[in-house]
Amino acid sequence: MRTSRTRRAAILRGTLGTLAVLLAVGTAAAAWAYWQLRASLPVLEGHLSAPALAAPVTIERDVQGVPTITGESRADVAWALGFLHAQERYFQMDGQRRTASGELSELVGPVTIALDRRNRLHRFRSRAERALAAMPPEERRFLETYVSGVNGGLAALSGAPFEYLLLGARSEPWTAADTVLTVYAMYLTLQESHGETERWRANANEVLGQAFTDFFLPLGTTLDAPLDGSRLPTPAMPAAGTKRSVSPPGTRFVDVEATHPGSNGFAVGGGLTENGGAMVANDLHLALRVPNIWYRARLVVRNSPGAPDLDITGITLPGTPSVVAGSNGRVAWSFTNSYVDTSDVVTLEPHQGKSDWYRTPDGPRELAFYKERLCRKCPQPEDLTVEESVWGPVLGTDLQGRKLAYRWTAHDPTAVGLSAALELERAENARQALAIAQRLRIPHQNIVAGDADGSIGWTVTSALPRRFGHDGQKPSSWADGRAGWDGYLPSDEVPVVFNPERQRIWTANARVVGGESLAKLGFGGYAHGARAAQIRDGLFANDRFSESDLLAVQLDDRGTLLGRWQTILAEALSARPHQRELARLLPHVENWGERAIPESVGYRLVRAFRSDIIARLYDAYTREVPPIESGTATTRRTPRVRTNQADEPVWRLITEKPPHLVPPGYPDWAAVIDAALAALVVAIDTEAGGKVAAFTWGAFNKADIKHPLSRAVPGISVFLDAPRDAQPGDVYQPRVAAPEFGASARFVVSPGRERSGIFHMPTSQSAHPLSPYYRTGHADWAQARASAFLPGNTRWQLSLQP
């Protein structure tokens, strides 16, 4: 008996000992991981040696981590900004440069090789070197100063950024070419990189004919709200007997509410404000992630007694040394993606039947071939052959098998530059800011500027191609020299709107002007005009504006575009009173409230109904149009249809009900409505368990803002990702919001009165979950609470000494 108890006691002691060892090991491992994580926290306070500086620089951070960088030269401030970018955001910067160069898989593995394949087509690393060679020496020296700051900030970390620890990878130093690649990454984000719009339109025209293509792919609609009040011709309804798809619809893959990089930018003149100065508002709509794409900063240069030589506050792009948008006390400016036409698809005509030779105005040329190795560190690297013509890389082939090349402003050596961006930081007034903006070397944007004296204006940034012999709306041959580009438009030909009579300017990625001005800008896939119209109407609703008034315009979540769809849905439900599953929807639709707010059932019902009908009809009519294949460049398929302007063609069909255009697969137009209503019931059953009250807008529109690694590394989402708040807003109204998309920054400011300005930004300044200001400020963005444009009181101070 005693022996048995002794044995049990020994076993218990052994078990407890083993548990103690395991606990000790686990504790030690957790402690090691914690200290490794802490090692990559940025330096917030104290003194650091920075031999590259010409004079001391002070960095004061407020409670949200927003820095005020004060130095005696813009170069020293650029070094310090690079230092902060590396300390807070180096992994993000690394991702940007690798995305542009098609080298992301070398960091994260084969999961991104398809993206690398797509982007390597442009050979942006090679182009970056050419861009650097074209830079003036002074500009290159300034860039190298910023690069030195980045590497100084990386070296000052006690350990590599924590993301590299999770990946088992090493960080590599920053170079001047990497800053150029960061700008190229924005070209890839903001513009078409494979000529999708032109190629899709050509395919549709080939299969469906001109009449159907013009009707279903209009360049704009009657809902456009350009500054000049111009109207585009309304395409005719296709006539009976017009060639069209005859295949019944099948699996749907038309995304009606697709999110496209955009923004709202608007301003009011001094006659509409109490202080007599202009007021500028900007919402920058992009994919949302952790950390946020932008980094807030105030840059102050004091190189003489008295007033500072430069005092500018706004957003910066980690990897680049200038302020993107903000206010310098004299001028404030905003950017929105312009969607002007900055590229063309060129049909290559083979020479004497040789597939590698093509005709040019200067005689036959042979394609150049470049061997690119993808995912060099992967177990199975991949070799990619890029074919390149004098006009650009070969994208693939058209329906006749002819090769298609891509002429894109991003491929020019002057597509990236710093000089004009640094000039814009010092602009004295709105007119000067617009003139400088036309010389910017960035992806094309609408710029809206306002100054302290009350002037406002709009123009388009960057060099615009001067076309001849074609309008850029579909692929064309440039072989005989009768079509092409004749350089770029001189500045005096670039459209400008300055101090309009009614002192209001608005842009929202839709068409801004018409007539001859529009012909110069071209059609690059403008957004639907409803959002711009709603902003316009909000600006004309008042005669006086404060910052909070413009914020209210930014936060307008009314679904005015859906109003007429609510009427037709209510009528359809009322006409079917005996179908209980439909009758229960009617009270919600009749009292929908028009607003895209989280608790609204009616808004979601109307939106889902409209989306289903648009997708259903486009899928039926365009099913026979081949998807765009990009040949050797990538195997990725692009959507069959871009539905930016789809609302009006479908509305005309569903209300006019032309018998000859009943979509394939449906006996009549009533059957289309029946199918959409049935789909609505199925959606409620599958997504809300059949409970109509649970089918709310908020249940669908929850923020899903993640760190790139949280999707791949189990268990870290809770530490890295932003809260999953239900969001008001939608994609066709000023308060743009989708689960992974929305306002990456929002501000309202009157130059010279920055202390009254408002600023919102999701996530936070820091990418590090142990940072004392991680996610600080995110709630202000999520709940749209007015928060300060300028940094607040100093919480941490760091001194950089030469």
Side-chain angles (χ1 to χ4, degrees), residues 738-758:
E740 301 177 19
F741 186 86
S744 59
R746 178 187 296 126
F747 67 80
V748 183
V749 65
S750 183
R753 300 163 184 86
E754 285 79 8
R755 291 200 174 277
S756 301
I758 296 169

Side-chain angles (χ1 to χ4, degrees), residues 133-164:
M135 277 188 184
E138 184 177 352
E139 184 175 341
R140 179 65 183 270
R141 283 194 295 271
F142 182 87
L143 175 55
E144 293 290 356
T145 297
Y146 170 80
V147 169
S148 173
V150 171
N151 289 320
L154 187 62
L157 294 173
S158 298
F162 75 93
E163 294 95 342
Y164 295 97

Side-chain angles (χ1 to χ4, degrees), residues 182-268:
T182 301
V183 181
Y184 285 145
M186 295 307 295
Y187 273 98
L188 291 169
T189 296
L190 298 172
Q191 297 185 354
E192 288 187 357
S193 60
H194 285 68
E196 292 89 344
T197 296
E198 288 182 44
R199 297 168 68 190
W200 163 251
R201 194 174 190 89
N203 286 2
N205 190 66
E206 181 75 17
V207 173
L208 302 177
Q210 191 71 49
F212 250 73
T213 301
D214 290 346
F215 181 78
F216 281 101
L217 302 177
L219 301 175
T221 73
T222 58
L223 296 174
D224 286 354
L227 298 179
D228 59 6
S230 58
R231 288 284 181 261
L232 297 178
T234 300
M237 185 82 73
T242 305
K243 181 171 63 172
R244 64 188 178 101
S245 176
V246 295
S247 298
T251 303
R252 206 97 43 82
F253 72 119
V254 173
D255 188 354
V256 178
E257 261 71 43
T259 56
H260 302 291
S263 301
N264 303 329
F266 49 96
V268 294

Side-chain angles (χ1 to χ4, degrees), residues 283-574:
D283 303 67
L284 297 111
H285 304 141
L286 291 168
L288 301 179
R289 64 191 185 194
V290 177
N292 188 42
I293 187 172
W294 309 115
Y295 182 81
R296 297 177 62 182
R298 182 179 185 180
L299 311 182
V300 180
V301 177
R302 298 185 183 276
N303 56 14
S304 60
D309 182 55
L310 176 69
D311 187 347
I312 184 170
T313 302
I315 56 173
T316 68
L317 176 65
T320 65
S322 62
V323 172
V324 175
S327 179
N328 68 7
R330 299 177 296 276
V331 183
W333 66 92
S334 70
F335 283 133
T336 68
N337 208 23
S338 65
Y339 286 103
V340 299
D341 193 356
T342 61
S343 61
D344 281 310
V345 179
V346 182
T347 304
L348 299 184
E349 296 188 13
H351 173 65
Q352 295 182 349
K354 300 175 183 177
S355 62
D356 296 341
W357 284 77
Y358 62 101
R359 293 171 49 208
T360 78
D362 299 321
R365 296 284 295 267
E366 186 177 12
L367 288 169
F369 294 86
Y370 298 93
K371 298 290 185 181
E372 301 284 331
R373 172 149 286 200
L374 306 177
C375 202
R376 289 175 296 182
K377 299 178 182 179
C378 295
Q380 293 182 319
E382 179 179 315
D383 288 325
L384 175 73
T385 300
V386 176
E387 302 174 76
E388 193 151 326
S389 72
V390 293
W391 297 298
V394 173
L395 300 168
T397 59
D398 62 13
L399 297 184
Q400 287 75 45
R402 296 174 298 184
K403 291 183 178 181
L404 300 173
Y406 200 42
R407 180 69 176 99
W408 187 18
T409 56
H411 293 151
D412 291 353
T414 56
V416 179
L418 299 177
S419 296
L422 297 173
E423 285 185 58
L424 184 58
E425 290 183 347
R426 297 177 180 273
E428 295 287 338
N429 54 58
R431 187 178 290 280
Q432 185 183 55
L434 299 183
I436 294 170
Q438 293 176 354
R439 295 187 280 106
L440 286 171
R441 294 298 177 256
I442 60 173
H444 289 72
Q445 301 286 293
N446 295 305
I447 180 172
V448 173
D451 62 34
D453 294 328
S455 291
I456 58 174
W458 160 87
T459 192
V460 176
T461 72
S462 314
L464 291 163
R466 184 200 287 272
R467 291 180 174 83
F468 66 91
H470 68 117
D471 60 10
Q473 292 184 33
K474 59 184 179 181
S476 59
S477 170
W478 295 6
D480 59 10
R482 290 185 293 181
W485 289 5
D486 183 16
Y488 293 99
L489 290 178
S491 59
D492 59 356
E493 292 188 29
V494 177
V496 175
V497 174
F498 191 74
N499 279 344
E501 182 179 355
R502 302 185 71 179
Q503 298 191 61
R504 296 163 174 89
I505 288 176
W506 58 92
T507 66
N509 316 120
R511 180 173 63 87
V512 179
V513 291
E516 184 180 341
S517 293
L518 179 60
K520 293 175 180 177
L521 300 178
F523 293 88
Y526 291 117
H528 195 279
R531 179 159 43 95
Q534 209 160 319
I535 294 170
R536 175 201 61 195
D537 295 345
L539 294 178
F540 280 101
N542 289 341
D543 293 325
R544 278 289 183 274
F545 292 90
S546 65
E547 287 84 355
S548 60
D549 293 325
L550 287 194
L551 178 62
V553 176
Q554 292 175 302
L555 299 177
D556 183 1
D557 55 26
R558 292 174 301 123
T560 56
L561 176 66
L562 274 64
R564 58 187 184 181
W565 292 94
Q566 183 266 348
T567 300
I568 200 169
L569 177 57
E571 291 174 351
L573 294 173
S574 298

Side-chain angles (χ1 to χ4, degrees), residues 534-757:
Q534 209 160 319
I535 294 170
R536 175 201 61 195
D537 295 345
L539 294 178
F540 280 101
N542 289 341
D543 293 325
R544 278 289 183 274
F545 292 90
S546 65
E547 287 84 355
S548 60
D549 293 325
L550 287 194
L551 178 62
V553 176
Q554 292 175 302
L555 299 177
D556 183 1
D557 55 26
R558 292 174 301 123
T560 56
L561 176 66
L562 274 64
R564 58 187 184 181
W565 292 94
Q566 183 266 348
T567 300
I568 200 169
L569 177 57
E571 291 174 351
L573 294 173
S574 298
R576 296 161 175 81
H578 303 300
Q579 299 182 37
R580 293 182 58 188
E581 71 277 8
L582 296 179
R584 61 185 177 147
L585 309 183
L586 185 57
H588 296 282
V589 173
E590 289 181 329
N591 301 291
W592 75 310
E594 191 183 32
R595 295 178 60 200
I597 52 178
E599 60 269 26
S600 178
V601 173
Y603 182 87
R604 187 174 180 189
L605 289 171
V606 174
R607 184 193 192 269
F609 174 75
R610 169 189 174 274
S611 299
D612 181 272
I613 287 184
I614 292 176
R616 191 174 296 277
L617 292 188
Y618 269 76
D619 188 56
Y621 287 123
T622 66
R623 189 151 189 79
E624 293 183 357
V625 179
I628 298 168
E629 303 288 355
S630 42
T632 59
T634 174
T635 57
R636 178 178 173 181
R637 291 158 63 95
T638 57
R640 289 177 183 267
V641 75
R642 291 171 61 92
T643 57
N644 299 29
Q645 312 291 347
D647 186 273
E648 190 157 288
V650 172
W651 178 255
R652 290 176 62 188
L653 288 169
I654 213 72
T655 54
E656 297 178 31
K657 301 179 175 63
H660 65 285
L661 292 179
V662 173
Y666 300 92
D668 52 34
W669 286 106
V672 175
I673 299 295
D674 286 336
L677 293 175
L680 198 55
V681 172
V682 170
I684 295 169
D685 289 341
T686 57
E687 298 177 36
K691 299 176 182 179
V692 179
F695 195 70
T696 63
W697 181 238
F700 170 81
N701 202 37
K702 286 185 177 180
D704 191 21
I705 308 173
K706 294 181 175 295
H707 190 284
L709 294 186
S710 70
R711 301 181 189 276
V713 182
I716 65 171
S717 177
V718 66
F719 301 106
L720 296 181
D721 297 346
R724 294 212 65 196
D725 301 311
Q727 301 182 95
D730 199 356
V731 296
Y732 283 122
Q733 53 200 240
R735 188 169 186 172
V736 169
E740 301 177 19
F741 186 86
S744 59
R746 178 187 296 126
F747 67 80
V748 183
V749 65
S750 183
R753 300 163 184 86
E754 285 79 8
R755 291 200 174 277
S756 301

